[in-house]
Amino acid sequence: MWVADKWKDYEVIDTSGGEKLERWDKYTLLRPDPQVIWNTEKKNPAWKKLNAHYHRSAKGGGEWEFFDLPEQWTISYGDLKFNLKPFSFKHTGLFPEQAVNWDWFGGLIREELKKNPSREIKVLNLFAYTGGATVAAAAAGAKVTHVDASKGMVTWAKENAESSGLKDAPIRWLVDDCVKFVERELRRGNSYDGIIMDPPSYGRGPKGELWKLEENIHGFIELTAKLLSKDALFFLVNSYTTGLSPAVLDYMISVEIAKKRGGIVTASDIGLPVTETGLVLPCGSSGRWTA
């Protein structure tokens, strides 16, 4: 498992009864987590010192209960800064486990620029959400194209870039349907040296286009892989859908990229360390291709 264990401003304190107890800088949040199917003793005093608690509804969805939490606050990961705020369906605007991927592709970008300082490395971030991967790639020295169907998420991502000192970095911000954008880029003859995709299990585009991950992901990997440049560095697919195991991601990336152009494919669960137990909480999976 690839573990995001370098955080200082974030930690999973404990997990039990379908919930995870987290510290986001100085604030303690309790949120549902479908992976937490165990009931263990809640010994840590933080269970009783919450700043906010997201309650899942039996009818679907849920709502926040706030005790003492600001409308927005900021946490850091190295030089990167992220603006957080609790919003619908338990989210805060950041998936901390993805830091393990930021470190990976950030290292590839920096290593390549060290060898070839004059090279322009173009990275495409699809389903880019609030821009964690975008700011990580830009901070490493890449020229980034950020694509998400939600205008609000793109605005939030711009704020994260500015907070991280990347206001003037070469980032192209686009509110667009990711599939249609890739199709247009292929027609234009454009290419990218690194591609990141973090597709939702379900979603709709700006005009109501339906996206269901299990039905669409293989065809989309096949399509998007055609945008890789001849000297491409990496390709990354993230999944939070239970049916898409690391082995499935490995297979699709191997078929659509490695079989055609060589390179190395790796895939794994990703996770976060749990302070109270010393164990690791699974948080989805990732598939990677490197040249």
Side-chain angles (χ1 to χ4, degrees):
M1 184 182 288
W2 296 326
V3 182
D5 57 3
K6 295 182 175 63
W7 280 98
K8 292 182 173 60
D9 282 4
Y10 172 85
E11 68 172 316
V12 179
I13 302 169
D14 200 4
T15 61
S16 182
E19 296 180 304
K20 60 184 173 186
L21 182 67
E22 307 165 288
R23 177 182 63 82
W24 299 79
D25 191 20
K26 60 183 178 181
Y27 302 108
T28 303
L29 274 56
L30 184 59
R31 300 191 295 157
D33 191 307
Q35 298 287 351
V36 183
I37 60 174
W38 47 86
N39 284 290
T40 49
E41 194 174 351
K42 300 175 180 178
K43 296 180 179 179
N44 195 295
W47 284 99
K48 298 178 181 179
K49 298 178 181 178
L50 303 179
N51 294 100
H53 185 184
Y54 187 90
H55 297 275
R56 176 69 58 79
S57 169
K59 298 178 181 178
E63 62 180 2
W64 284 97
E65 179 183 12
F66 298 111
F67 305 108
D68 182 19
L69 188 72
E71 289 185 6
Q72 182 169 311
W73 73 104
T74 302
I75 66 171
S76 300
Y77 185 75
D79 294 331
L80 308 180
K81 295 187 182 301
F82 301 102
N83 300 295
L84 307 177
K85 51 191 171 186
F87 71 111
S88 61
F89 197 62
K90 77 180 181 179
H91 295 311
T92 61
L94 189 68
F95 292 97
E97 62 274 10
Q98 287 298 327
V100 73
N101 285 321
W102 306 338
D103 291 342
W104 168 71
F105 64 69
L108 292 175
I109 293 166
R110 290 183 175 92
E111 185 179 336
E112 178 62 22
L113 289 174
K114 191 174 181 180
K115 290 188 292 185
N116 300 293
S118 61
R119 181 178 178 182
E120 180 184 79
I121 297 176
K122 294 169 62 181
V123 171
L124 173 62
N125 187 14
L126 297 166
F127 309 97
Y129 194 52
T130 58
T134 294
V135 297
K143 181 178 181 180
V144 186
T145 298
H146 174 111
V147 187
D148 196 277
S150 168
K151 184 178 180 180
M153 292 300 108
V154 174
T155 299
W156 194 337
K158 289 180 182 178
E159 293 170 358
N160 285 335
E162 186 169 351
S163 295
S164 297
L166 297 166
K167 182 180 179 180
D168 298 321
I171 304 172
R172 185 164 57 137
W173 305 101
L174 298 173
V175 178
D176 205 344
D177 176 82
C178 290
V179 177
K180 292 180 179 178
F181 173 78
V182 169
E183 290 171 342
R184 287 198 302 274
E185 286 291 88
L186 286 169
R187 290 196 294 270
R188 294 171 184 138
N190 290 333
S191 63
Y192 294 87
D193 306 302
I195 296 176
I196 301 158
M197 64 168 74
D198 205 343
S201 297
Y202 298 93
R204 290 189 180 275
K207 297 181 180 177
E209 302 91 339
L210 182 63
W211 168 273
K212 188 174 180 182
L213 190 64
E214 295 97 322
E215 296 176 0
N216 298 102
I217 187 62
H218 179 229
F220 191 55
I221 289 174
E222 179 183 16
L223 184 73
T224 307
K226 296 174 183 176
L227 283 177
L228 287 169
S229 67
K230 63 181 179 66
D231 297 319
L233 299 176
F234 69 89
F235 192 98
L236 170 66
V237 183
N238 294 310
S239 169
Y240 290 91
T241 301
T242 308
L244 287 182
S245 66
V248 172
L249 294 175
D250 187 305
Y251 197 99
M252 290 189 291
I253 296 169
S254 295
V255 167
E256 298 304 337
I257 304 177
K259 290 283 187 184
K260 299 173 182 178
R261 56 193 301 159
I264 300 167
V265 178
T266 53
S268 176
D269 293 314
I270 57 175
L272 289 161
V274 180
T275 304
E276 187 69 20
T277 62
L279 301 174
V280 177
L281 176 66
C283 302
S285 56
S286 296
R288 302 169 174 174
W289 170 83
T290 49

